[in-house]
Amino acid sequence: MHKIILLIDFAEDYSKSLLKGITKYSREYGPWVFCRMPLFHRETMGIDGILNWALEWEADGIIGQLYNEESIAKITKAGIPLIAQDFKERFTEIPNITGAHHETGAIAADYFLKKGFKNFAFYGFTDIVWSRERAEGFEESVSRAGYKVHYFENQNARESEIELWYYKPSSLSQWLLSLPKPIAIMACDDRLGQHITEACRHSRIRIPEEVAVLGVDNDEMICELSDPPLSSIAQDAEKGGYDAARLLDRMIRKETACFYDIVVKPMQVITRQSTDIYATHDDFIASSLKYIHQNIDKNLQVDEVVKQVPLSRRSLEMRFQNVIGYPIYKYIQNLRIEKFSKKLLETDLTVFEIAMELGLNDSKNIARQFRQVKGCTPLEYRNRYLAGK
């Protein structure tokens, strides 16, 4: 029976999902005994105090957020297998629970580009790997589309917390007021996404009409407390926790000497009010997009969209292609697949039942379209993200 110390932030949804994956593995291959150690122990006990506790308790392994190489060296020298959760930078001497951060940034850029935005911004930290790499992935995709990214980056988390409301107007509010509108902003995580929504409300900037905001982690408490509710990119942290537990198990049993990082993959954008907008000055396209999104749960056809505007089908399709970058039928298909994939992950409905909910009577056809967009079958997609293996 392994004794495992967990030194992570138990208040975050991301960390809670990691814990779900870790405990799932322990139930299948344990049981394990856990010591949940809140992060304040890092400051009150110090690394020496944590290490003394681990040795006295006879801990078999540790998963946690650690500050520096010195902390890592002390624990590994004591012979305790250790996996670090992404905190500021990745460590080279031990495995990390990290993320596909460039991919996450690219997903955010693609999401906004499909909505027709031409102005983009990023709000994050310069000294934290997951923020920096999300910004890089975001900018790379935006640049390929021919646009540039405006930046507001704090040096550290403490500065960003203090500056919001202790100084009026804050430099964050000034930055938001200076940006071209409408603009799509990616925040490095949900907490900073809520900073944006609060600063916009303070400066009377309309969301999502002037500023659309997208966070990362889909922390439901933060997203729903935000005014308006915050859209966010969900990550498969539960699978990351499961994979980390499996690696730690092998390290404890000395079954492997090859360390590798556990990479948490982004899953999909969860759309809430903060991005529920289509950035176009073409009223006909805006009306078409609004109708598509309001009726996507029906078996929507292009002819029905055409009826909403005083244009011929050919004229609307040409304008839609020029503004959005996709034919109408393709936009409908992609949106339907995103709705379909969300239901795959959030419900236990069968493929047929989900198709029925979306007003479709041909589950084989939707499965074929799903494979074209996602590169796998609906069941493979569900298993990949929910099996935890």
Side-chain angles (χ1 to χ4, degrees):
M1 182 181 293
H2 297 337
K3 294 181 176 181
I4 308 298
I5 291 177
L6 300 171
L7 182 66
I8 62 179
D9 186 348
F10 300 105
E12 294 179 344
D13 268 12
Y14 178 86
S15 295
K16 289 177 183 177
S17 294
L18 285 178
L19 283 174
K20 286 181 183 178
I22 293 168
T23 54
K24 181 177 182 180
Y25 183 89
S26 74
R27 285 195 301 270
E28 293 178 8
Y29 296 97
W32 292 4
V33 176
F34 296 102
C35 171
R36 299 199 315 163
M37 191 171 286
L39 288 182
F40 70 80
H41 285 179
R42 222 172 31 194
E43 285 70 38
T44 57
M45 297 172 60
I47 193 62
D48 291 328
I50 292 172
L51 180 56
N52 289 337
W53 166 257
L55 293 172
E56 183 178 342
W57 189 53
E58 298 182 339
D60 295 298
I62 298 175
I63 298 175
Q65 294 180 0
L66 298 161
Y67 280 127
N68 51 45
E69 305 285 349
E70 182 182 356
S71 300
I72 298 294
K74 287 183 177 181
I75 295 173
T76 54
K77 185 177 180 181
I80 302 175
L82 172 65
I83 297 178
Q85 182 190 341
D86 252 7
F87 182 52
K88 286 200 170 183
E89 298 292 336
R90 298 184 187 93
F91 295 102
T92 56
E93 300 86 355
I94 60 170
N96 301 272
I97 302 174
T98 184
H101 305 313
H102 285 95
E103 183 180 341
T104 302
I107 287 174
D110 184 58
Y111 175 77
F112 282 135
L113 287 165
K114 285 179 179 178
K115 284 181 169 288
F117 282 94
K118 301 184 186 308
N119 300 309
F120 302 87
F122 184 89
Y123 175 48
F125 304 113
T126 58
D127 62 344
I128 298 178
V129 62
W130 44 265
S131 176
R132 187 173 61 249
E133 291 185 357
R134 286 169 188 171
E136 290 169 356
F138 186 67
E139 183 172 22
E140 286 166 6
S141 292
V142 167
S143 297
R144 278 197 299 270
Y147 306 107
K148 71 173 185 176
V149 177
H150 300 267
Y151 280 94
F152 186 100
E153 293 183 300
N154 295 287
Q155 290 301 314
N156 57 60
R158 182 61 180 162
E159 287 179 9
S160 70
E161 293 285 359
I162 292 174
E163 186 171 73
L164 260 182
W165 305 121
Y166 284 91
Y167 304 99
K168 295 183 179 181
S170 70
S171 55
L172 175 59
S173 294
Q174 291 175 331
W175 176 70
L176 290 168
L177 288 167
S178 73
L179 294 171
K181 309 293 191 306
I183 193 164
I185 301 180
M186 179 186 185
C188 66
D189 65 8
D190 292 333
R191 189 166 54 87
L192 266 66
Q194 190 182 23
H195 284 189
I196 297 290
T197 61
E198 291 291 329
C200 284
R201 185 174 63 176
H202 181 261
S203 300
R204 294 183 173 84
I205 299 171
R206 293 175 301 149
I207 299 176
E209 291 82 3
E210 295 178 277
V211 170
V213 192
L214 178 65
V216 181
D217 289 337
N218 195 38
D219 190 311
E220 291 194 2
M221 183 181 71
I222 295 176
C223 292
E224 294 299 336
L225 280 174
S226 172
D227 183 18
L230 180 68
S231 298
S232 185
I233 299 175
Q235 300 198 87
D236 199 4
E238 184 173 339
K239 182 178 185 299
Y242 188 97
D243 291 343
R246 178 166 51 193
L247 175 58
L248 186 62
D249 189 17
R250 296 187 66 202
M251 292 166 65
I252 293 169
R253 298 178 186 278
K254 303 187 186 304
E255 294 177 354
T256 180
C258 298
F259 299 148
Y260 55 88
D261 287 344
I262 303 300
V263 180
V264 175
K265 301 280 285 184
M267 294 192 292
Q268 61 181 338
V269 175
I270 306 300
T271 297
R272 299 184 179 88
Q273 191 178 339
S274 72
T275 60
D276 191 13
I277 194 70
Y278 317 103
T280 173
H281 297 295
D282 188 318
D283 291 341
F284 295 142
I285 300 303
S287 296
S288 300
L289 288 168
K290 182 177 181 180
Y291 183 81
I292 290 170
H293 280 255
Q294 288 178 339
N295 294 276
I296 194 63
D297 289 347
K298 305 172 184 177
N299 190 8
L300 187 62
Q301 303 297 320
V302 174
D303 285 343
E304 297 170 60
V305 180
V306 174
K307 291 177 182 178
Q308 306 309 308
V309 296
L311 295 174
S312 68
R313 176 166 179 155
R314 177 173 173 77
S315 295
L316 179 61
E317 288 189 327
M318 289 178 63
R319 291 171 77 147
F320 199 98
Q321 177 76 44
N322 290 334
V323 173
I324 303 301
Y326 290 91
I328 299 173
Y329 84 90
K330 188 68 174 179
Y331 188 91
I332 293 173
Q333 183 187 94
N334 288 344
L335 183 61
R336 183 175 288 140
I337 295 304
E338 290 309 312
K339 290 277 188 180
F340 198 96
S341 62
K342 183 177 180 182
K343 288 182 181 293
L344 281 171
L345 301 185
E346 295 181 350
T347 73
D348 59 359
L349 297 174
T350 66
V351 172
F352 177 77
E353 289 170 333
I354 295 174
M356 291 298 100
E357 281 203 358
L358 291 175
L360 306 169
N361 55 16
D362 188 350
S363 58
K364 290 184 178 179
N365 185 48
I366 191 69
R368 178 182 57 79
Q369 293 179 6
F370 191 96
R371 179 186 281 276
Q372 289 175 349
V373 175
K374 296 292 187 180
C376 60
T377 68
L379 291 181
E380 287 171 346
Y381 181 85
R382 173 180 271 169
N383 292 336
R384 179 181 302 169
Y385 289 113
L386 298 184
K389 297 182 180 179

